[in-house]
Amino acid sequence: MDTQSSSLSYEQYQKKMKRRQEVQKERVSKADKEKGLIIVHTGNGKGKTTAGLGMVLRSLGQGYKVAIVQFIKGAWEPAEKAVLQPWVPQQLEFKAMGEGFTWETQDRDRDIAKATEAWQQALTYLQNPEFRLVFLDEINVALKLGYLQVEDILAGLSNKPQDSHVILTGRGAPEALIEAADLVTEMKLIKHPFREQGVKAQPGIEY
């Protein structure tokens, strides 16, 4: 509770909350449009992929068909993939196309080829109206590293079905993508146990 609210009497607080409720109801009543959203999760903080997977679970719970394409983390076998396995292949398609971060592969040409292959796979999902949600994990990193061109991504997004949603995650999202998006969230790093304490990645938290 904010300081101002804590100083109000019970009657004053009730009146304030009633007014806030009325304002919120009015806002909700005016929001009557539906459209497929372009959603970007970026920033240097943890949680971008996890937030995207939360939306994946919601969509699966609604009975929608979902596709996930991993652009960079393909060398990992995340626990999330195991949890999502019961939905494969009837409701979910999961393609891990990357082979790890560029400092692991040490082969830029191969990284570009794999990112291009992943984007071509992503396009088949984006253009298929059966998929209500397409999750492009770490595609922003591929853009930041120059493996893909933002103009190509924007062109692909512009041709998706009007009611389908797409999530693009990864730090360093280009400004042109942010401008084109409907929903953008920046994860800000405050503290990280790896950086401050030398704590390694742990099961159940990072993977």
Side-chain angles (χ1 to χ4, degrees), residues 15-194:
K15 185 177 180 180
K16 180 179 180 181
M17 291 302 105
K18 182 175 176 57
R19 176 56 185 155
R20 183 174 293 179
Q21 183 184 49
E22 291 170 352
V23 170
Q24 186 62 22
K25 282 183 178 179
E26 185 179 356
R27 288 174 178 170
V28 171
S29 68
K30 289 180 178 178
D32 57 354
K33 300 175 185 176
E34 288 190 16
K35 63 172 290 190
L37 302 177
I38 297 173
I39 301 165
V40 174
H41 293 157
T42 192
N44 62 354
K46 179 175 168 52
K48 297 177 287 292
T49 293
T50 304
L53 286 170
M55 293 184 181
V56 166
L57 287 172
R58 290 193 195 107
S59 291
L60 292 172
Q62 291 285 353
Y64 299 143
K65 197 164 184 179
V66 179
I68 300 174
V69 180
Q70 286 187 309
F71 279 76
I72 300 293
K73 293 179 181 175
W76 300 8
E77 286 295 329
E80 293 99 320
K81 189 173 181 180
V83 172
L84 293 171
Q85 198 62 39
W87 280 282
V88 178
Q90 290 81 7
Q91 237 186 295
L92 174 66
E93 293 195 19
F94 194 121
K95 300 289 185 181
M97 308 290 288
E99 295 181 319
F101 292 96
T102 189
W103 55 84
E104 294 167 338
T105 64
Q106 299 180 20
D107 187 339
R108 181 174 173 80
D109 289 341
R110 184 169 177 80
D111 289 342
I112 292 172
K114 295 300 290 185
T116 302
E117 182 184 354
W119 174 238
Q120 292 305 311
Q121 177 65 65
L123 279 174
T124 66
Y125 294 135
L126 288 169
Q127 294 167 0
N128 186 342
E130 291 184 8
F131 289 94
R132 185 66 178 270
L133 176 66
V134 180
F135 180 21
L136 307 180
D137 188 35
E138 299 288 358
I139 189 174
N140 297 339
V141 176
L143 285 165
K144 181 180 179 182
L145 294 172
Y147 299 166
L148 300 170
Q149 301 303 311
V150 68
E151 294 82 7
D152 296 332
I153 307 307
L154 293 176
L157 294 176
S158 69
N159 290 321
K160 74 175 183 63
Q162 289 188 353
D163 61 348
S164 67
H165 310 295
V166 57
I167 306 170
L168 306 95
T169 67
R171 62 179 61 200
E175 191 61 35
L177 177 59
I178 290 173
E179 286 293 324
D182 300 290
L183 172 61
V184 180
T185 302
E186 181 179 10
M187 311 299 190
K188 182 179 179 181
L189 177 64
I190 305 297
K191 292 177 69 176
H192 199 294
F194 173 77

